[in-house]
Each structure stands twice: as structure tokens, then as C-alpha cells.
């Protein structure tokens, strides 16, 4: 069988290759693609290396017909409706569907306390939607920032892929419908969170949660403007006492 993997995340690409190297019994050919506008990948992998650029909406039927399975491992592109309706497409999503689907799930889970984790699901035409194949919930600890939680999510994604790859390739899974539509966040919701209103009244608990949800070095997320109009970025450091 031929499998098309599309990823825009280096950690995931490197670790997925490592997983495949340990599974020499697998009888499948894998082609790897990144999103053509991903500049970092273009610089790293060029046009004709092991990874190739692709723009899914510009591909013709012969491209899609040449694969038995498509897997999105943190792909920047939305898969076209034609593709998800006619081919088996699987998404590895850094969130616990149906909660906080969409943009940066752990950021929203730190704040709204909805479950976080990893979901591997069949794709349909809606965002981070479709029958669930595998899931793992993770806890968020009070001393963690968005980055700490995200790093554990990535590790868990790779663990789930390692555990279930053969079943995914052989379609020996049992898809389960989402029990509700859950909720969805967009980039504009994240951008709103980043704007701090210095006059807003809140508890320390809420302020610490908001700041840790937005702390992800080297990104500059939360900010306010000082009286001279300077934009001041804010992050937080949390440290659990060593016992
Ligand atoms: O690999 P990924 O998590 O994102 C990719 C795709 O780019 C994205 O479109 C897709 N929805 C996702 C499943 O896979 O990497 P990232 O660099 O976009 O984000 C990783 C984390 O970095 C994010 O959870 C929060 C943090 N971050 C990212 C950006 C761009 C920030 O805190 N601020 C930012 O401005």
C-alpha cells in the first residue's frame, strides 16, 4: 500500500521516521509532504528531498488515486472536501475531541478546564471532526505553561502512533462517533486572549491561568500597552518546589 503523510512539524516528522525505522515488518510505502508555503520546511528540505512541498487543493485526481491512505500529522492545510469525502484521511490532532477543537487546544483547556489530550480521527469536511479512532486524555498540572502541556501532547501523539500504526494501515480499528459537537476555537479567539486589559478585574487564579496559557517561548503572546503606547509582552515563570 502507499501512504501519503503530510506534516509541517519537524519534531513529529523526525519521530515518525524513528517509529517507522523500528517497524521494518510493515509492508507499506510512505511519501512525505509539507505545505508548500511552509518556509522553514522549504529551507530545510527543499523541493526534491525526502520531503516534498504540496498544495492539496491544486492536486488532480491522479495524485489522490495514487494513495491508499492520507495522514495529517500537524498539517497547516485544511484538506479539501473532495479529498476527505472520497479518500481515507486520518488526522492526528493535539487535542481531546470534541473539546476545544481548532486552534491551539491546550491554550484553551488551561483556561476553560475542558479535557485535553490527543485524538486520532477519521477526517470529514468539518474542522477536527469525524469519527474517533484513538484518544488519550492528559492532565494539566498547576505548574505547567502552554509549552509544557504541548510538549507532552506531542510525545503522546507519537506514543499513540507507535501503538496503533499497524491497525491504522490495516483499517482494523473501530471508529466511534463523537458524543457531542463540543466546542471550537479559532485564531481570532487566541488573538483576543493575547490582549490584556489592565483594568479587568480577575482572581489570581484566573490571571495565572491566562498567563500560563499564553506562555510559550519564543512566541510573544500576551501583551498590554503602557501609557506611552509601547507594547509590552508578558509571560510567566512557574516552578514547583523540589521535595
Ligand atoms: O505543529 P503545530 O502544533 O501546528 C500545526 C499546524 O501549523 C496547525 O495549522 C495545525 N492546526 C496543527 C494541528 O499542526 O505548530 P505551531 O507552531 O503552529 O504551534 C505549536 C504551539 O505553539 C501552539 O500549540 C501554541 C504555540 N504558539 C504558536 C504560535 C504560532 C504560540 O503560543 N503562539 C504562536 O503565535
Amino acid at each position: 500500500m502507499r501512504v501519503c503523510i503530510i506534516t509541517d512539524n519537524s519534531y513529529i516528522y523526525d519521530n515518525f521516521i524513528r517509529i517507522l525505522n523500528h517497524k521494518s515488518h510493515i509492508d507499506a510505502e510512505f511519501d512525505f509532504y509539507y505545505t508548500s508555503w511552509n518556509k522553514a520546511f522549504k529551507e530545510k528540505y527543499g523541493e526534491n528531498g525526502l520531503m516534498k512541498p504540496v498544495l492539496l487543493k491544486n492536486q488532480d485526481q491522479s495524485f489522490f488515486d495514487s494513495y491508499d491512505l492520507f495522514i495529517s500529522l500537524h498539517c497547516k492545510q485544511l484538506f479539501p472536501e473532495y479529498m476527505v469525502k472520497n479518500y481515507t484521511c486520518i488526522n492526528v490532532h493535539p487535542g481531546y475531541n470534541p473539546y476545544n477543537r481548532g486552534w491551539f487546544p491546550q491554550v484553551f483547556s488551561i483556561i476553560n478546564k475542558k479535557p485535553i489530550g490527543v485524538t486520532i480521527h477519521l477526517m470529514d469536511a468539518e474542522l477536527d471532526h469525524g469519527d474517533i479512532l484513538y484518544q488519550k486524555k492528559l492532565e494539566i498540572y498547576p505548574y505547567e505553561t502552554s509549552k509544557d502541556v504541548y510538549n507532552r501532547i506531542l510525545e503522546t501523539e507519537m506514543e499513540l502512533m507507535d501503538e496503533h500504526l499497524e491497525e491504522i494501515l490495516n483499517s482494523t480499528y473501530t471508529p466511534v462517533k463523537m458524543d457531542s459537537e463540543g466546542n471550537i476555537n479559532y485564531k481570532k479567539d487566541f488573538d483576543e486572549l493575547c490582549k490584556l486589559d489592565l483594568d479587568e478585574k480577575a482572581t489570581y487564579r484566573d490571571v495565572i491561568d491566562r498567563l500560563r496559557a499564553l506562555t510559550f517561548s519564543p512566541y510573544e503572546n500576551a501583551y498590554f500597552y503602557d501609557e506611552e503606547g509601547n507594547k509590552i509582552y508578558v509571560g510567566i515563570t512557574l516552578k514547583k518546589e523540589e521535595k
Side-chain angles (χ1 to χ4, degrees), residues 7-12 35 37-38 72-78 91-95 102-107 127-128 146-147 150-151 153-154 157 187 190-191 194 213-222:
T7 180
D8 288 293
N9 183 299
S10 306
Y11 171 92
I12 290 187
T35 300
W37 71 76
N38 181 342
S72 165
L73 289 176
H74 287 219
C75 166
K76 286 186 184 297
Q77 302 168 66
L78 286 180
N91 186 27
V92 178
H93 171 64
W103 211 256
F104 304 164
Q106 82 282 357
V107 169
L127 187 60
D128 303 326
S146 165
K147 187 172 187 169
Y150 180 77
N151 287 341
I153 288 172
L154 291 191
E157 286 183 333
K187 182 175 184 304
F190 176 75
D191 291 344
C194 290
L214 295 170
T215 297
F216 198 122
S217 157
Y219 296 113
E220 287 164 333
N221 294 324

Side-chain angles (χ1 to χ4, degrees), residues 162-181:
D162 195 4
E163 219 174 305
H164 299 293
L165 185 60
E166 287 86 343
E167 295 152 26
I168 290 172
L169 297 177
N170 297 328
S171 310
T172 51
Y173 41 66
T174 310
V176 175
K177 293 241 166 296
M178 296 195 310
D179 54 12
S180 76
E181 292 301 297

